[in-house]
Amino acid sequence: MTVCSFFVEKERRVKANARDYNDKFSYADNRIKTSKYNIFTFLPINLFEQFQRVANAYFLVLLILQVIPEISSLSWFTTIVPLVLVLVITAVKDATDDYFRHKSDQQVNNRQSQVLIRGSDSYWIYTQADILLLCSSEPYGLCYIETAELDGETNLKVRQALTVTSDLGSISKLMDFDGEVICEPPNNKLDKFTGTLYWRDNKYPLDNEKMLLRGCVLRNTEWCFGIVIFAGLQTKLMQNCGRTKFKRTSIDKLMNTLVLWIFAFLICMGVILAIGNTIWENWIGRNFEVFLPWDEFQSSAVFSGFLTFWSYIIILNTVVPISLYVSVEVLRLGHSFFINWDRKMYYSQMDTAAEARTTTLNEELGQVEFIFSDKTGTLTQNIMVFSKCSINGQTYGDVYDEFDQKVEITEKTACVDFSFNPLCDRRFKFYDCSLVEAIKLEDPAVQEFFRLLALCHTVMPEEKSEGHLVYQAQSPDEGALVTAARNFGFVFRARTPETVTLCEMGRAVTYQLLAILDFNNVRKRMSVIVRNPQGQIKLYSKGADTIIFERLDPSSDDLMCTTSEHLSEFAGEGLRTLALAYKDLDEDYFEVWMKKLLFASTVIENREDQLADLYEEIEQGMKLLGATAIEDKLQEGVPETIACLSLADIKIWVLTGDKLETAMNIGYSCNMLRDDMNEVFVISGHTLLEVQQQLRSAKEHILGLSRVSSAGDVEKMCAEDSVFEETIIAEYALVINGHSLAHALEPQLEPILLDLACLCKTVICCRVTPMQKAQVVELVKRHKKAVTLAIGDGANDVSMIKTAHIGVGISGQEGMQAVLASDYSFAQFRYLQRLLLVHGRWSYFRMCNFLGYFFYKNFAFTLVHFWYGFFCGFSAQTVYDQWFITLFNIVYTSLPVLAMGLFDQDVNDQNSLRYPSLYKPGQQNLLFNKRQFFLCTLQGMATSFLLFFIPYGAFSLMVKEDGSHFSDQQAFAVTIATSLVIVVSVQIGLDTHYWTAVNHFFIWGSLTVYFAILFAMQSDGIFGIFPSNFPYIGTARNCLSEKSVWLVILLTTVVCVVPGLVVSFLRVDLFPTLTDKVRHLQQSRRKQGPQEQNLRRVRRTSSRRSAYAFSHQQGYGELITSGKNMRMSTVSSARSPGRTPHSSNWIENMLKRKNEVSCVSFENVKLECMALI
Amino acid sequence: MMASSYNAKEEDGHPSGASGHGGPGVVKSKKPDNTAFKQQRLPAWQPILTAGTVLPAFFVIGLIFIPIGIGLFVTSNNIKEFEIDYTGVDMDSPCYTCAKNSSWNNTTPCTCSVDFTLEQPFESNVFMYYGLSNFYQNHRRYVKSRDDSQLNGGRSALMEPSKECEPYRKTDGVPIAPCGAIANSLFNDTLELFHIDSNGSRNAVPLVKKGIAWWTDKHVKFRNPGGNNNLTLAFQGDFSKPVNWRKPVYELDPSDPENNGFINEDFIVWMRTAALPTFRKLYRIIQKKSSTTPTLPSGKYTLDITYNYPVLSFDGRKRMILSTISWMGGKNPFLGIAYITVGSICFFLGVVLLIIHYKYDTRNNSADIPN
């Protein structure tokens, strides 16, 4: 079913089980095609594409010019050999790329063919198309989905099919289903869908709540059926992905500018020489006609000048080197391979190596200034772990050694043995044995604590086989808590709408569930009221500490103080905390309250408020039990990586779809937010004005403070942003939510947002939509001349990844969207450090060195012709042999410079990581910019000048040792060519910092090859075969056997190299950069032998707490008490008639509430669905 | 070390990690190979520019270059060279008339004599050169106006010379041999040297005309069509002589078949085009006869010139040069001076850099490296 390619599709019609009908519309199918060629079209299309490139077209024009005999100053082969080589290399690269694209297309398309109709074994299924849900394995056509990959939220969401279609759950019924859907055309609105289902002469309205969008994951739902509405590129997710842009690096852009400059320079030289030729022909050439008559076409000196101009363009075109672009591509390819091969970016758990998916951006990695990071799955592992707790004033969870010193928990630390508990979850790890001991001692507080955890939640258990429990939790936090209780002997085993069965220390105990006082964002707590087998009624409550503490019985005051301290401690470690409390209820009181509750749940008006009041009433005077601390597990090494990257002056912004509190908590735990920061600005206005106000005041706050600290004209400094930013000593952080961001991204607020954000050390944007992520990146890209990098793992990061200069995908996670859209992918956030500080830095360094040398080399090589022009009547006579011109760039000098570009290292990888400041030159564009270009071309020009004039001085009077004359053109050519090859080889020797065997081989090899080819081309044999093509016969032999020629070469080499050497020595000696210092250090270290460096772990301090409570969502209490989510078999018998009215519209309520919470709730389903259509 | 602390663990954990995925059979791990090349750990020499390496280099260069320079300079100064301009620009110069009248079309040769005195005797072999100035043998159109196949005796090229030879390719449909502007403008002055001894008699100085071309040119690059036998036959009829020539190519040196036709050494020397517009070409060699008498004793000499070659039209000059040679070739003061200068500069730079290094060195140890 598929992409339509109507010009304008007004509406979409899809009919179930009517392939012929649907085929009429030619909608997009789900196949992806990214490859460009097939075997037959490859050659023509590829050649056509290649000649569209300016460089290649330019060389083609040159080639045509060379064929004109009047102009041709060089044989055609001097251009065609390099051009063909370039075309072949590029074609091979394109072919390889396309081959891999074919392969990956095949993989993707095959994956789609494995579409699951039933996902009974795996509990999650991706949807690959936008699907209208018809029915599912769950009662009432319910379908649970997770959208973590889309918005970073980890809680489950619910979709419900139309009631009329929810009983279509068998293939035969489905085959008979012939409804027709008429809906909106494909668009990118993830939270909106309008359509109508026509079936059996009835109309049913369809909205977003009945859609499973591509990209979301089915959870706790065995199967579902649906109609594919949009597929392939028409799915809402794909429509929302942003356009793939062809990314080019800033070096690329610079290179293009420089090539234009060189081109202008070339034309200038051509004009100068053409004018020279006109003058020469007028003054001398005219009189020289006795020996050299003018050609018949040469009607005037001016026309001769015109032709000379073109002749010189041909000769001097090597300043715009044909091989530059290809060499750059080859280098980047090599650098990409080094990234792919890096074992230190290989993640063994997933068996995933880093992958450079684009090979054109490597050096940009060395210039990154802004990193935009997703949170869930990128910074965090999306795993919650029960890490610590405080029970009755006693903390558990830390491990101490015999000296009472806290022991750092590593993977080697011994875990607590839970073998006493047959129902335990083996993946659960806890390190503090004292808690188990307390349990075994039957400490009543500890027991009550875990009982609460086992009872007070909305988790659904599933026991597939005896003792094999699977919990389906609405949020990972809850799952972690219930799992903890399970391991400590309070196993939550089964539930019905009215009972909860625990297995307490091996004894099965069934509690009667009287009420669930559900969670919501205002209450920030949830409670259950249960009757235990002894008949006592108890209220168990868990929630944000502040909320719980307000509702405690005065008798808990002391405990509250202790627990409060513990909470601070937990929060300081970045843990998500919850306070737990209970209350014994009086039977009579509860009866009364329950009646009120039942009444309240049936009223129409203000039901929510009345219920809230009732909940509030009963949750008073509770007794504190303790507190839990859950670790939102960061990926390994995240705080260290962030610390290291910020030392490298890289600004990290976190953009997450998750809630403010969660995001801030992560900010704290990965050390981006700290207590010692001067101020954390939270922007959460609802109107444009409010946001503006908040932004202004935040900015004024910063400026106001800095005004005191810096004695300067603030107004002036404001104008100079960068200077100004540096004067801010104080540290600030900015947290902004999606609502406010929408306003702040409007044009009038953009500048102030950007100013403020750049003044802050840390920026966190939460509850942002994928498009907003892209907008933020776009904002920075547009206004700051900085390289941006976006890193994420989910489909919600795709737009941002595509927008940023560099997109990085975290691979090995469930979804592949981010990786597919990314330029680089690896499995762990911490590899970013190595990617940037090592690979990026090296790539940039190598590329810059390469370019500098390349331009130098070509200027030195080519401009000799310019100087010679003044001595040969501006006749476009070349200095060198044509073969030398052909081979110089592609044979004699290509490999050493490639080896340098591939292998050079100024500083090794350990030191690159140890001194992150080494990264800064890349951000400031110091290694290759217009100034550097100017310097290296200047050096090239000077070299060409010396290369010409020293032999000129010597040759004007040169005589061979046997007396024969020697100042002939061929000997001159061989001498200059040999000097040139030696000079550029010596120069690359000086420029190379890291001489591997390959460098040695290439440099010495190139020199050897030069001499070998030189003698071969000027040998008797080859002259005998092609006398007119190799006129230099014997020159090398005659020339290089002369001592004086070698003296000239030696002199030229020394004179060309020494000035550069002096300059770089003075620079290193007097103004050493950090790189030079580290190099020095590195060398002295190497002499001393390796040293161990110990690095302390970053210590976090924070007073944040209760993040879980704040970030938790509306619970599924209603769902449980209504029994709707229970399997039919379990529910049918146990349904309580009293609650039915209550439950009739629970879904609507819930969905309504959910929408209040998430400003844009788009949900995507990747259901490989459904055989239906 | 932040990064490396993870590595150890990963490498340890690798076997289990990989096998965790494996179902039946061994799943090939994607772990990159641990080779020095792939991990960019190739052993390497990492030179740095330090005072310890750069400064000695300067002194060494200085110490090597200055002696070489002095050696070259002295050698060059010891070479005896005599040069005389016989163009005939001035009214009072002996060749003035010839210079004014000479043109390619002259049938009657014009001769003139120039007298000169050698102040010092020339001891060893003396080389006689002719020099031309302002003569653009290196002009592109001139340089390419030849056919090496033809000069190599190629039959087909002989009949159908290369287009490059235009406009000296054919006359009236008959191919020119040798074709092209270079051959056409062959230097055709004849120089003869006489020693005027003390009693005033002219003694001809024997001039050797063989051995003046490069061996490779004479024996490989230039060959007569059909070998050296019966050149007249080989060239006759089918070919015409270059327009400016007085005699056809097979009569360049009728006395010596080894020096006739394309392998005539004067012709070969001319065909090796000069790099710069002012050049000299070897004309004759005066061989040393005995070890006791100098090759050219000091005294008066006369140079008899058969003046055929017009250069005045383009402001050219013609010279005759007599020179001895040494181990490094002819007189060449440039190299000696250049070597002395460069050597001194390097030495001086070494001293200056040494002073700068010790006076302004700012690099302490690593203490000031910010982390």
Side-chain angles (χ1 to χ4, degrees), chain A residues 1001-1030:
Chain A
F1001 179 73
F1002 280 171
I1003 292 177
W1004 303 116
S1006 288
L1007 282 174
T1008 317
V1009 164
Y1010 167 70
F1011 285 110
I1013 293 183
L1014 182 71
F1015 283 104
M1017 290 231 188
Q1018 306 186 358
S1019 66
D1020 304 354
I1022 200 156
F1023 175 78
I1025 305 168
F1026 310 103
S1028 21
N1029 289 332
F1030 297 94

Side-chain angles (χ1 to χ4, degrees), chain A residues 290-291 341 343 346 351 636-637 830 846 868 875 914 961 963 968-969 994-995 1031 1047 1069 1079 1081, chain B residues 6 9-10 30 32 39-40 42 45 47 104 129 138 140 221 272-273 275 314 325 339 357 362 366 371:
Chain A
V290 207
F291 297 106
W341 285 334
R343 279 163 81 90
Y346 167 79
D351 190 29
E636 221 174 324
R830 65 167 191 271
R846 289 166 181 170
Y868 192 46
S875 60
R914 190 179 297 162
E961 282 157 40
D968 75 289
Q969 211 237 330
Y994 193 79
W995 283 72
L1047 287 173
D1069 204 48
R1079 273 172 68 76
L1081 193 75
Chain B
Y6 305 117
K9 188 164 48 191
E10 266 168 36
K30 287 183 195 142
Q39 302 308 316
Q40 308 196 58
L42 287 175
W45 172 53
W104 291 115
Y129 303 90
N138 59 2
R140 176 168 59 92
K221 196 171 180 182
R272 184 155 280 280
T273 53
F314 56 92
I325 58 166
Y339 262 88
H357 175 68
T362 50
S366 60
N371 196 346

Side-chain angles (χ1 to χ4, degrees), chain A residues 319-451:
Chain A
V319 283
V320 188
I322 192 167
S323 53
L324 175 68
Y325 287 93
V326 180
S327 307
V328 165
E329 292 297 307
V330 169
L331 281 194
R332 287 176 178 157
L333 191 69
H335 296 166
S336 304
F337 273 112
F338 282 129
I339 291 173
N340 295 347
W341 285 334
D342 195 337
R343 279 163 81 90
K344 289 176 183 165
M345 298 204 297
Y346 167 79
Y347 189 56
S348 54
Q349 263 108 23
M350 302 271 201
D351 190 29
T352 325
E355 191 191 357
R357 299 173 45 84
T358 29
T359 56
T360 53
L361 296 172
N362 294 315
E363 77 270 2
E364 194 101 317
L365 288 173
Q367 300 187 279
V368 172
E369 269 185 72
F370 287 89
I371 291 178
F372 299 92
S373 174
D374 177 39
K375 183 190 74 68
T376 318
T378 305
L379 296 176
T380 64
Q381 296 179 2
N382 203 8
I383 296 176
M384 302 296 164
V385 177
F386 179 82
S387 148
K388 287 180 186 177
C389 59
S390 158
I391 305 173
N392 207 12
Q394 169 80 41
T395 58
Y396 300 94
D398 284 325
V399 186
Y400 295 91
D401 61 11
E402 57 266 39
F403 310 111
D404 248 18
Q405 294 285 312
K406 209 183 241 182
V407 177
E408 191 81 34
I409 290 172
T410 64
E411 288 199 4
K412 291 191 182 82
T413 315
C415 317
V416 171
D417 180 20
F418 289 110
S419 55
F420 67 91
N421 181 358
L423 287 170
C424 71
D425 183 345
R426 305 214 176 277
R427 285 163 303 178
F428 181 80
K429 287 202 168 78
F430 200 74
Y431 299 94
D432 186 1
C433 297
S434 54
L435 188 55
V436 180
E437 281 157 23
I439 278 280
K440 286 181 179 163
L441 291 173
E442 304 197 349
D443 180 336
V446 177
Q447 287 192 335
E448 199 67 2
F449 180 87
F450 284 113
R451 189 171 290 129

